[in-house]
Amino acid sequence: MTFKFNVTQSGKVLVNPHRGDCLFYPENTLPAFQSAVDKGVTCIEIDIAMTADNHLVVIHDPSIDRTSNGSGYVEQMSLTELQQFDFGAWFGEKHVSTPISTFEEILDWAINNGVGLVVEAKQRRRHEEFARTFVQLMKGKDQVALEHILLLSFDHTLINRVKTLLPEVALQVVTLARYQDQLGAVLASNAQSVCVEYPHVTEEVLMQYKQAGLSTRLFLPNKGNNVNTARWFDTYYGYDVYNEIISWINKGLIDMLSHDDIDMISAMIREAEMEPI
């Protein structure tokens, strides 16, 4: 079944947890993803990078130091080496022996569970090898696999290298600036979807994205201590950012709302009189 990332026209908004249910499980691991699904989530953001022997693994940082009991850099280690480490113990005793996952494992899991994936490519170097590895993996899957992903990156050139080799892959680009021609800049990167943060977007720009047929993702960065990020922006800017964002959701300008806290973003979507899915 085709996964739909552009959903606002049906009165729905995708709850898009950042790295899975990472407040309660070690980030970017299968238990974090499964917990999100158990809470009713149908779309998850994950991060991928490539090992020294050209395997795609699910991890955020260039090194494994923060999220494992090991030390070293993903791009300098083989998959076999990475599989020797524990990627859950750092989070808590009950998560001991959580392995690193390959992208292929999580992709297969997502398809079997009807989950859409926003897949952020974290590759800094070896772009050509990354692109060919990603394309080879996707070509080995049924067409439905491509329909379950948006390939995302801050590096638009990286994901466009993939798209050159695999034109049917859908791209989501990050915009962390206000350009003179915002829509033009996004379309020039061959995007089907766009990820925005509040400081760099306006209602007018969101309307342009939607009129161009793009799906939109609003990322609310975690400000710590379970603070509602939109409320944090109220204090930072000195005006009612929270209800401005609620208005954007209500007007159908946001397809995906992303944060670490699943309950928080679900509540915001309901307050905007939309259905969280």
Side-chain angles (χ1 to χ4, degrees), residues 173-268:
V173 297
V174 179
T175 61
L176 289 179
R178 291 284 304 283
Y179 306 110
Q180 181 64 22
D181 178 5
Q182 192 78 13
L183 178 61
V186 168
L187 294 180
S189 288
N190 299 307
Q192 287 75 46
S193 182
V194 59
C195 177
V196 302
E197 292 190 26
Y198 178 80
H200 312 292
V201 75
T202 65
E203 182 172 319
E204 179 184 9
V205 169
L206 289 170
M207 290 177 67
Q208 291 175 1
Y209 291 153
K210 295 308 297 177
Q211 289 166 0
L214 302 175
S215 62
T216 55
R217 173 176 170 235
L218 177 61
F219 175 69
L220 298 173
N222 192 336
K223 296 300 182 180
N225 300 318
N226 265 357
V227 173
N228 185 299
T229 307
R231 294 295 190 195
W232 183 92
F233 281 131
D234 288 352
T235 301
Y236 186 79
Y237 287 108
Y239 58 85
D240 191 357
V241 173
Y242 182 87
N243 279 300
E244 184 178 11
I245 291 175
I246 294 296
S247 173
W248 292 351
I249 300 170
N250 176 260
K251 292 175 180 177
L253 300 179
I254 305 295
D255 293 284
M256 292 164 260
L257 191 60
S258 190
H259 188 270
D260 295 350
D261 190 331
I262 291 172
D263 291 338
M264 185 200 80
I265 52 180
S266 298
M268 289 181 67

Side-chain angles (χ1 to χ4, degrees), residues 6-276:
N6 199 329
V7 296
T8 57
Q9 68 273 18
S10 58
K12 299 177 181 179
V13 178
L14 292 164
V15 175
N16 182 243
H18 186 228
R19 310 178 199 174
D21 191 10
C22 66
L23 294 184
F24 300 97
Y25 290 84
E27 65 177 56
N28 272 321
T29 64
L30 182 56
F33 303 147
Q34 185 61 56
S35 177
V37 169
D38 292 343
K39 292 181 177 181
V41 167
T42 62
C43 179
I44 299 171
E45 186 267 357
I46 72 172
D47 305 281
I48 63 170
M50 189 173 67
T51 65
D53 55 344
N54 292 4
H55 289 277
L56 299 177
V57 292
V58 183
I59 191 169
H60 179 272
D61 297 357
S63 84
I64 67 171
D65 295 37
R66 180 177 65 86
T67 57
S68 83
N69 63 346
S71 183
Y73 293 89
V74 175
E75 69 171 24
Q76 298 171 18
M77 305 172 78
S78 69
L79 177 60
T80 299
E81 289 174 312
L82 288 170
Q83 288 173 331
Q84 296 174 6
F85 298 110
D86 185 333
F87 284 80
W90 68 275
F91 197 83
E93 289 185 7
K94 69 177 183 179
H95 304 290
V96 169
S97 299
T98 301
I100 195 169
S101 293
T102 67
F103 172 51
E104 183 173 16
E105 290 168 345
I106 299 306
L107 177 61
D108 290 343
W109 170 87
I111 293 168
N112 290 336
N113 287 274
V115 173
L117 296 176
V118 178
V119 181
E120 183 172 346
K122 289 290 187 180
Q123 193 71 19
R124 174 61 180 169
R125 302 188 299 175
R126 298 175 63 213
H127 281 193
E128 184 66 26
E129 292 94 333
F130 176 91
R132 293 189 181 281
T133 298
F134 186 93
V135 170
Q136 182 179 16
L137 170 61
M138 298 308 297
K139 285 188 173 181
K141 302 293 179 182
D142 292 336
Q143 177 65 26
V144 69
L146 275 174
E147 296 169 352
H148 273 257
I149 69 168
L150 291 172
L151 182 60
L152 164 72
S153 185
F154 287 82
D155 188 336
H156 299 186
T157 65
L158 169 60
I159 55 178
N160 269 280
R161 184 64 197 131
V162 175
K163 194 168 182 66
T164 297
L165 300 175
L166 188 65
E168 56 268 41
V169 68
L171 304 184
Q172 182 176 96
V173 297
V174 179
T175 61
L176 289 179
R178 291 284 304 283
Y179 306 110
Q180 181 64 22
D181 178 5
Q182 192 78 13
L183 178 61
V186 168
L187 294 180
S189 288
N190 299 307
Q192 287 75 46
S193 182
V194 59
C195 177
V196 302
E197 292 190 26
Y198 178 80
H200 312 292
V201 75
T202 65
E203 182 172 319
E204 179 184 9
V205 169
L206 289 170
M207 290 177 67
Q208 291 175 1
Y209 291 153
K210 295 308 297 177
Q211 289 166 0
L214 302 175
S215 62
T216 55
R217 173 176 170 235
L218 177 61
F219 175 69
L220 298 173
N222 192 336
K223 296 300 182 180
N225 300 318
N226 265 357
V227 173
N228 185 299
T229 307
R231 294 295 190 195
W232 183 92
F233 281 131
D234 288 352
T235 301
Y236 186 79
Y237 287 108
Y239 58 85
D240 191 357
V241 173
Y242 182 87
N243 279 300
E244 184 178 11
I245 291 175
I246 294 296
S247 173
W248 292 351
I249 300 170
N250 176 260
K251 292 175 180 177
L253 300 179
I254 305 295
D255 293 284
M256 292 164 260
L257 191 60
S258 190
H259 188 270
D260 295 350
D261 190 331
I262 291 172
D263 291 338
M264 185 200 80
I265 52 180
S266 298
M268 289 181 67
I269 293 167
R270 292 190 187 95
E271 186 172 347
E273 299 180 341
M274 300 286 271
E275 179 185 353

